[in-house]
Amino acid sequence: MSLLKKLLIGLLLLILVAVGSTFFMSDNFRVYHTQVVKASPEAVFNQLNTIKNWNNWSYWNSLDPKMTMTFNDIPSGEGAGYSWKSEKKDVGNGSLVIKKSDPNAYIKLDLDFNGEGNAWSEYILKPVAGGTEVTSAMNMDTKGVFMKLMSRTMMRTGMKKAFKTSMDNMEKYLAEHPDVPAPTPIVPDSAKL
């Protein structure tokens, strides 16, 4: 058997194994990254909980300088969010909203990628020697062979890079701006009812 024929058979077997493995994969895809940020839990939480602060450190916000962002009327905490529009394919359009906010401990966000799917992400904060251990995670449903394979190969690598870069950026920003005050929360009229 020629070398080319052996390579083609090997490639076909590899594809069949990859496709077959998707039948044993959970529909839920979760990717996470944990690292220590050299800052207090309060400082890290303030950056995460105040949506406009994401411009200080977010990997995704740095990918397109021409991206337009529209913030809602709630600056921080549950209900705070923004939508984005970008001409760049790897940024796209979408929105995020904080769904749960436990001071200095936990943030949960809902993400909508405008027809490309939905996901939710979370940030888990834990005080440790030397700073704050931050676990950044994204969770999404993956249906079908293509989405399961893409999420567990290319998406996993890209998301881990995004999480690490964001936390590195936040640590650098907080080192340069150690006394960034938290904004006074604004309670919308609808929340007072």
Side-chain angles (χ1 to χ4, degrees):
M1 201 175 351
S2 73
L3 179 62
L4 180 60
K5 194 172 185 180
K6 287 179 184 178
L7 287 174
L8 288 174
I9 290 172
L11 180 61
L12 180 62
L13 286 173
L14 184 64
I15 291 170
L16 289 173
V17 168
V19 169
S21 71
T22 64
F23 294 104
F24 301 100
M25 293 178 185
S26 167
D27 286 347
N28 181 53
F29 168 67
R30 176 178 172 82
V31 60
Y32 69 93
H33 172 75
T34 301
Q35 79 182 67
V36 174
V37 174
K38 294 175 187 165
S40 69
E42 294 82 6
V44 172
F45 181 79
N46 178 47
Q47 290 299 309
L48 292 166
N49 195 52
T50 305
I51 291 296
K52 287 187 179 179
N53 285 348
W54 286 44
N55 286 322
N56 300 331
W57 51 268
S58 174
Y59 168 81
W60 297 108
N61 291 18
S62 69
L63 290 179
D64 181 5
K66 295 180 180 178
M67 176 173 61
T68 59
M69 299 173 70
T70 305
F71 296 87
N72 68 16
D73 293 336
I74 304 170
S76 63
E78 293 176 13
Y82 70 87
S83 60
W84 71 89
K85 290 185 180 179
S86 172
E87 298 294 322
K88 294 184 87 174
K89 188 177 180 180
D90 57 342
V91 178
N93 305 322
S95 62
L96 66 79
V97 175
I98 296 176
K99 287 298 182 181
K100 186 169 184 173
S101 174
D102 293 335
N104 309 323
Y106 184 79
I107 299 277
K108 179 182 178 184
L109 301 131
D110 279 353
L111 297 151
D112 180 347
F113 300 109
N114 282 13
E116 299 293 322
N118 298 312
W120 64 274
S121 64
E122 61 185 342
Y123 294 90
I124 304 164
L125 283 58
K126 179 181 169 187
V128 294
T132 305
E133 181 184 272
V134 181
T135 299
S136 311
M138 187 182 82
N139 304 271
M140 66 186 297
D141 285 334
T142 53
K143 305 266 189 218
V145 172
F146 180 74
M147 274 303 293
K148 285 183 177 183
L149 289 176
M150 285 291 292
S151 64
R152 284 148 180 91
T153 55
M154 293 173 32
M155 280 179 62
R156 182 176 305 280
T157 303
M159 288 304 301
K160 285 186 174 251
K161 175 186 175 185
F163 290 146
K164 180 173 183 351
T165 302
S166 291
M167 290 303 105
D168 289 346
N169 291 346
M170 183 189 291
E171 181 174 276
K172 182 179 177 189
Y173 178 81
L174 288 172
E176 294 170 357
H177 303 87
D179 298 315
V180 178
T184 304
I186 299 172
V187 179
D189 291 337
S190 61
K192 294 177 184 175
L193 300 174

